[in-house]
Amino acid sequence: MDYRTLDRLDLRRKRVLLRVDFNVPLDKRTGRRITSDTRIRKALPTVRAAIDENCSLVIASHLGRPNGRPNPRMSLAPVAERLSELLGRPVGMAPDCIGAETEAMAAGLRAGEVLLLENLRFHPEEQANDRTFARRLSSLADVFVNDAFGTAHREHASTVGVTEFAQERAAGLLMQREMEHLSMAVSQPRHPYVAIIGGAKISGKIDVIRNLLTLADTVLIGGAMTYTFLKALGIGTGASLVEREKVGLARDLLAQAGDRIKLPADHVVADSFSATAATRTVRGAIPEGWMGLDIGPETVGEYGALISQARMIVWNGPMGVFELDPFAAGTIAVARAVDRTSTGSVSIVGGGDSERAIRKAGVGRNITHISTGGGASLDLLSGSVLPGIAALC
């Protein structure tokens, strides 16, 4: 899509409304301490580029799921403090994202000054893409820039509705980078092309698997979705998680794929879902009373060999319950294999759990692109048009 980019705008002496994804994790006890500032850091190039153009900047984001009501535990105030530290300049904090006081604060900004709006989702109109709410957001600035790839698959007031009223609109640098790399996976495939799909359920990744089967040479399956596929083949799954209503769909996908879908040959199983459970490695069927929680060493070797030969790698979803150390080895091994192979190949990793797994594995420097948007990256890999991008065209 021919969406506008930041370099095509003249921001000098203008006021810019910048939509970002500052949906950062906060300490659950206090709601004040940011436990990871990765999403703030990812937005810094666009923030700095705008400031360097001598514009004033109004930044908008959501945080958490406040269900359309103000919730002090989901305030963006801690984000304003951290952003100020990272930028080395004051960042004002608005009491709301709309309203007379917020409008006055935005109107009073001078060149180079930054104002962060309060949580967009304190208003139900945000997720409803309410036209009046979108107009009020747009009135805060002359230009709209969307750098929130993590919400680009959502048709919300701050991602889509606001573009109807903006004098000018464009994608930020992070959004542009996300689109350039993820689009490669669906429009410029290199071969051998290996897709790695994990996670708990097939139901959230049906369209991705279907689309990747038209592009990739091999699709490696991991995570709990493995056991729905095994059930479709008539292989015993013990007490493993199975989406019984999706067994027929799994059977159809296997028939469509032929030998392009690879399933784990062995599994790390446990007698309960616990870091202290009894564990063992089994090949083939999983015994009654035991549940599969990670891929086994034979599968790690087989998957690693296929990854090492790839010129394009797409990875979305862990291979097991990597949050629990006894079941993290498979995911960590895949992360390291992708990182090792990245010289001379293109490697693209989806957001969410895959990003956290890379951090846990202590790798990532050699990976071509690590996405900031789990849901948005899945939609793009499934071949869907993202509403937040279409609105910038």
Side-chain angles (χ1 to χ4, degrees):
M1 291 182 290
D2 186 24
Y3 56 91
R4 296 193 72 183
T5 52
L6 198 62
D7 59 355
R8 292 163 64 181
L9 296 182
D10 181 3
L11 301 181
R12 289 173 296 178
R13 296 179 299 280
K14 293 180 180 177
R15 193 160 64 244
V16 175
L17 176 62
L18 173 63
R19 176 57 159 108
V20 296
D21 183 6
F22 284 168
N23 186 25
V24 296
L26 297 176
D27 176 73
K28 292 180 180 178
R29 187 177 60 85
T30 65
R32 293 293 305 172
R33 185 176 63 86
I34 296 170
T35 57
S36 171
D37 65 0
T38 299
R39 290 184 176 181
I40 303 174
R41 291 178 179 276
K42 292 277 189 178
L44 289 179
T46 299
V47 173
R48 288 179 173 137
I51 291 172
D52 288 346
E53 288 293 307
N54 211 30
C55 70
S56 54
L57 197 57
V58 179
I59 301 179
S61 179
H62 73 283
L63 195 159
R65 297 179 179 177
N67 299 317
R69 298 186 302 272
N71 184 336
R73 296 176 68 85
M74 298 180 193
S75 170
L76 281 161
V79 176
E81 294 174 11
R82 183 59 182 143
L83 179 60
S84 177
E85 293 170 356
L86 292 169
L87 288 175
R89 66 174 64 210
V91 173
M93 183 67 208
D96 201 347
C97 58
I98 57 172
E101 188 176 354
T102 297
E103 290 167 8
M105 291 178 74
L109 289 173
R110 292 178 290 189
E113 292 186 333
V114 182
L115 175 69
L116 178 62
L117 303 181
E118 186 54 283
N119 196 334
L120 291 162
R121 291 188 184 174
F122 284 177
H123 295 263
E125 295 90 345
E126 157 65 359
Q127 290 179 273
N129 194 19
D130 180 81
R131 196 166 183 269
T132 300
F133 183 75
R135 184 191 291 113
R136 295 185 73 180
L137 287 175
S138 178
S139 72
L140 298 174
D142 309 303
V143 176
F144 173 67
V145 175
N146 191 349
D147 210 31
F149 179 73
T151 62
H153 60 313
R154 304 298 188 195
E155 197 167 341
H156 292 170
S158 66
T159 59
V160 173
V162 70
T163 62
E164 179 184 348
F165 307 102
Q167 297 174 26
E168 294 183 279
R169 57 189 183 270
L173 299 177
L174 174 61
M175 181 78 84
Q176 184 180 353
R177 177 175 167 79
E178 291 273 14
M179 289 298 297
E180 286 173 351
H181 284 91
L182 285 158
S183 294
M184 288 178 64
V186 293
S187 61
Q188 300 171 16
R190 298 184 183 185
H191 299 279
Y193 183 163
V194 172
I196 310 159
I197 305 296
K201 296 182 178 181
I202 292 177
S203 52
K205 300 187 177 179
I206 294 167
D207 292 336
V208 175
I209 294 172
R210 280 181 174 151
N211 198 45
L212 288 175
L213 282 172
T214 70
L215 300 166
D217 301 292
T218 308
V219 177
L220 309 179
I221 299 294
M225 71 169 66
T226 297
Y227 308 108
T228 303
F229 280 107
L230 293 184
K231 179 67 74 173
L233 292 173
I235 297 172
T237 56
S240 305
L241 177 65
V242 173
E243 289 182 274
R244 298 191 181 278
E245 70 281 8
K246 301 298 180 184
V247 170
L249 173 65
R251 190 178 295 116
D252 292 342
L253 286 171
L254 289 169
Q256 173 191 344
D259 62 1
R260 282 176 297 147
I261 281 186
K262 304 294 184 185
L263 298 174
D266 60 340
H267 317 269
V268 177
V269 301
D271 61 358
S272 66
F273 192 90
S274 168
T276 59
T279 64
R280 56 194 277 205
T281 300
V282 300
R283 197 181 195 286
I286 295 172
E288 289 299 319
W290 293 75
M291 61 184 71
L293 297 179
D294 194 12
I295 58 175
E298 182 181 339
T299 302
V300 165
E302 180 185 359
Y303 284 11
L306 290 166
I307 292 167
S308 70
Q309 299 165 15
R311 293 192 64 236
M312 177 166 277
I313 303 162
V314 170
W315 178 26
N316 188 288
M319 299 291 98
V321 187
F322 75 99
E323 301 90 342
L324 303 180
D325 287 344
F327 315 110
T331 300
I332 288 173
V334 165
R336 290 174 177 166
V338 172
D339 190 71
R340 279 196 305 271
T341 310
S342 296
T343 302
S345 66
V346 174
S347 52
I348 299 165
V349 177
D353 286 341
S354 304
E355 181 186 0
R356 287 188 286 275
I358 285 169
R359 289 203 305 269
K360 184 165 185 171
V363 297
R365 186 174 296 179
N366 297 318
I367 292 172
T368 309
H369 182 68
I370 302 172
S371 178
T372 58
S377 63
L378 282 174
D379 278 14
L380 200 59
L381 290 172
S382 71
S384 298
V385 174
L386 302 184
I389 293 294
L392 301 176
C393 295

